Amino acid sequence: MSLKETLMQDLKTAMKNKDKRTKDTITMVRAAIKQKEVDDRVELDDDEVIKIVSKQIKERRGSIEEFEKAGRDDLVETTKEEIDVLLKYMPEQLSDEELESMIRNVMEEKNITEKKQMGLLMKSIMPKVQGRADGKKVNAIVNRILN
């Protein structure tokens, strides 16, 4: 079953169970998927759907920071619940150890030893971890290794 079909099934289940948070979150993701398909006139595959879900998670994490600054604990909690729903559709996330190992392998392959080569390293590693690790987390580990 494709990821889009899974989303549709889960939407139906959420509606039957009157799970408003899950229903609303899946509806927003499906709208983003549909918008991308209409704009580009294509049928998205699972990889493209994962990119959209990943983008939605990233946006919500940014929103959490803003809500915390504004003291809106109710919105922080709601947004965290939405992220939990979205994470179900992402591939298994890489641990810090797995991520560090992959980064070190790319550093050896590309012969990267200095901080000024960080752009090349990030450009090389991000496609390999797409959907399985947050960019901020990758950046933090790369900084730690290169310092």
Side-chain angles (χ1 to χ4, degrees):
M1 186 180 327
S2 75
L3 201 47
K4 288 190 332 187
E5 291 168 343
T6 303
L7 282 165
M8 191 63 210
Q9 289 294 354
D10 290 352
L11 177 62
K12 290 176 185 176
T13 304
M15 290 167 80
K16 286 178 188 171
N17 296 337
K18 298 189 182 350
D19 182 353
K20 184 170 172 30
R21 178 84 56 241
T22 303
K23 180 185 83 70
D24 291 348
T25 304
I26 293 174
T27 301
M28 283 189 280
V29 170
R30 291 191 68 241
I33 292 167
K34 190 69 173 168
Q35 184 67 49
K36 178 80 170 159
E37 288 179 336
V38 169
D39 289 349
D40 296 350
R41 294 189 175 105
V42 293
E43 184 76 22
L44 297 182
D45 61 3
D46 281 356
D47 290 338
E48 294 296 319
V49 172
I50 286 173
K51 286 180 183 176
I52 291 173
V53 173
S54 179
K55 184 178 178 189
Q56 295 278 324
I57 291 171
K58 184 177 180 180
E59 288 173 1
R60 282 169 174 75
R61 284 185 174 144
S63 297
I64 286 176
E65 293 172 13
E66 296 301 316
F67 294 149
E68 286 173 342
K69 287 179 189 173
R72 295 293 309 267
D73 294 334
D74 56 329
L75 294 176
V76 169
E77 192 58 39
T78 300
T79 307
K80 284 181 179 177
E81 290 171 8
E82 290 175 356
I83 289 172
D84 289 341
V85 170
L86 293 173
L87 285 173
K88 294 177 192 170
Y89 305 102
M90 296 295 290
E92 188 176 328
Q93 299 295 296
L94 294 169
S95 70
D96 287 354
E97 293 78 27
E98 293 170 315
L99 205 49
E100 186 169 339
S101 172
M102 290 177 75
I103 291 169
R104 290 190 186 279
N105 289 341
V106 170
M107 286 175 68
E108 284 179 33
E109 288 172 22
K110 303 281 184 184
N111 198 22
I112 295 173
T113 56
E114 302 175 332
K115 188 159 179 105
K116 68 181 180 183
Q117 297 171 304
M118 185 173 170
L120 174 63
L121 178 58
M122 291 297 288
K123 193 166 100 177
S124 301
I125 194 71
M126 286 311 291
K128 293 181 179 185
V129 300
Q130 183 68 43
R132 298 186 307 154
D134 182 46
K136 285 183 181 179
K137 189 179 197 181
V138 174
N139 194 328
I141 292 174
V142 166
N143 272 320
R144 184 170 43 91
I145 291 172
L146 289 176
N147 281 338

